[in-house]
Amino acid sequence: ALDKIFADVRGEFPALTQKVYGKDLIYLDSAATTLKPVSVVNRISHFYSFETSNVHRGAHYLGDVATGFFESSRHRVAQFIGARQQEEVVFVRGTTEGINLVAHSWGLTNLQKGDEILVTEMEHHGNIVPWQIVAEKVGAKVLFAAIHDNGELNVEDFKSKLSSKTKMVAFTASSNVLGTNTDMPLLTKLAHDVGAKVLIDGAQIVSQGKVDVQAIDCDFFVFSAHKLFGPFGFGILYGKKEILDHMPPYQGGGAMISKVTTEGTTFNDVPIRFEAGTPHVEGAVGLHAAIDFIEKIGFDKIHAYEMDLLKVATEKLSAIPDLKIFGTAANKGPIVSFNLKGAHHSDVGQILDREGVAVRAGNHCTQPLMARLGIPGTVRASFSVYNNHDDIDALVKAVVKAREMLL
Ligand code: PMP
């Protein structure tokens, strides 16, 4: 029954009807970005064709229409992640901008010399570099919680690095390389016990299952629309209202103000205080359509289907001689990173590409993790709702071919 449902879902992705190099496109790079279903593309197209107007200006009919859709997206997102109120949902450019906003706005006002920021060894650069930049400015230190060899977080090491000096704990909910899912409520509680604030990088978790920010109790949660079947250049920063209320603006400009005089400026309330300038209106509208797309299928089905793809892919790839998989945590997302012993990841990636199999080969913006694993990079296959067992067979066949050519 699941196969039938997801065969229909696949039909909603026109990208998969294409050929590349004369071969069927096998798209296994959803951890980088998901393909977009026609419902999302059509919604954005309709917005541009009929509803284009600037928002929050109260100027005319169409402006009110656009503002209505823009704000109803905020409401939809608040529901989607379980926020108490839509004022806790800040529209940003993506995960990266969300983290930079918190690092600069919250970090520069709350961090001092000698304070510590705890991240993990499996963070994306997007959840390392902003903290390093701010730490450098204030004289704080960034610590890295270790991982085990199987790619799970070493919770004992995480605990040992928490102290009264820890002011911010920023960790990924799901590694974009190892697939490892972390225990969000547990890590949040441990961080809160020492009085630290918690930011969760949700980039890879939001497509896997329902997130409930209130149950997790994190202070901030960030994700990108484009990894959730939505548009590029748009994302969400969730923050607890009482914390956002005390954070200064990140950027200045139109809309984010209360009053501007030649003497100075007072600022608007959250979330608009953090949304300077004309926003990415069709991003909000597109994300709304993407959430509708996901919830129509249902996370229970999505999870069951993706876990089946992960299991089958892991089994079939493991059976290939000289192939090593990185990241075998019990709780992981639909990602398999691997290398062929003796072959460079980019050579393997190139051969796969020529077979029509789109994977990512590289360090995946996780150089500290690559250093921890002692490798320059991996080949990464990631699965989503539109993949099927034939895709896995195509991947395995291409990897076997790469092995024959390279080893
Ligand atoms: N964190 C993780 C875990 C990611 O996978 C990504 C995207 N590869 C990011 C952060 C950055 O997201 P974006 O580039 O959309 O800002």
Side-chain angles (χ1 to χ4, degrees), residues 31-32 94-97 124 126 172 174-176 201 203-204 224 226-227:
T95 305
T96 303
E97 189 181 52
H124 187 279
T172 189
S174 183
S175 161
N176 62 312
D201 174 350
Q204 297 290 342
S224 303
H226 74 93
K227 291 182 198 279

Side-chain angles (χ1 to χ4, degrees), residues 36-150:
K36 317 306 169 196
V38 276
S39 58
V40 169
V41 176
N42 287 346
R43 179 67 193 91
I44 293 171
S45 167
H46 184 85
F47 173 80
Y48 271 123
S49 296
F50 299 103
E51 297 156 4
T52 296
S53 202
N54 212 328
V55 293
H56 296 147
R57 306 287 186 264
H60 46 70
Y61 181 86
L62 216 50
D64 290 345
V65 168
T67 304
F69 286 126
F70 186 66
E71 289 303 325
S72 102
S73 171
R74 201 186 301 276
H75 184 73
R76 187 80 173 93
V77 171
Q79 257 181 355
F80 181 64
I81 59 171
R84 257 163 303 245
Q85 46 182 309
Q86 66 194 57
E87 286 74 19
E88 298 184 315
V89 174
V90 182
F91 288 156
V92 290
R93 275 199 299 132
T95 305
T96 303
E97 189 181 52
I99 298 170
N100 275 279
L101 193 161
V102 175
H104 284 82
S105 170
W106 183 88
L108 289 178
T109 32
N110 289 282
L111 293 170
Q112 293 171 358
K113 193 168 166 49
D115 286 347
E116 292 179 353
I117 300 156
L118 179 61
V119 301
T120 81
E121 282 182 337
M122 58 182 157
E123 298 310 314
H124 187 279
H125 295 165
N127 197 28
I128 298 174
V129 185
W131 301 115
Q132 288 176 331
I133 290 173
V134 167
E136 172 102 3
K137 284 192 175 144
V138 301
K141 220 169 124 186
V142 182
L143 305 189
F144 290 77
I147 57 164
H148 292 296
D149 288 338
N150 71 351

Side-chain angles (χ1 to χ4, degrees), residues 12 32 41 45 52 116 127 132 139 147 150 161 174 178 192 218 231 237 239 276 291 293 311 326 330 405:
E12 295 181 47
V41 176
S45 167
T52 296
E116 292 179 353
N127 197 28
Q132 288 176 331
I147 57 164
N150 71 351
K161 285 175 173 143
S174 183
L178 305 166
H192 282 167
C218 55
L237 162 64
I291 293 173
F293 165 79
K311 181 167 164 279
F326 298 89
M405 288 171 71

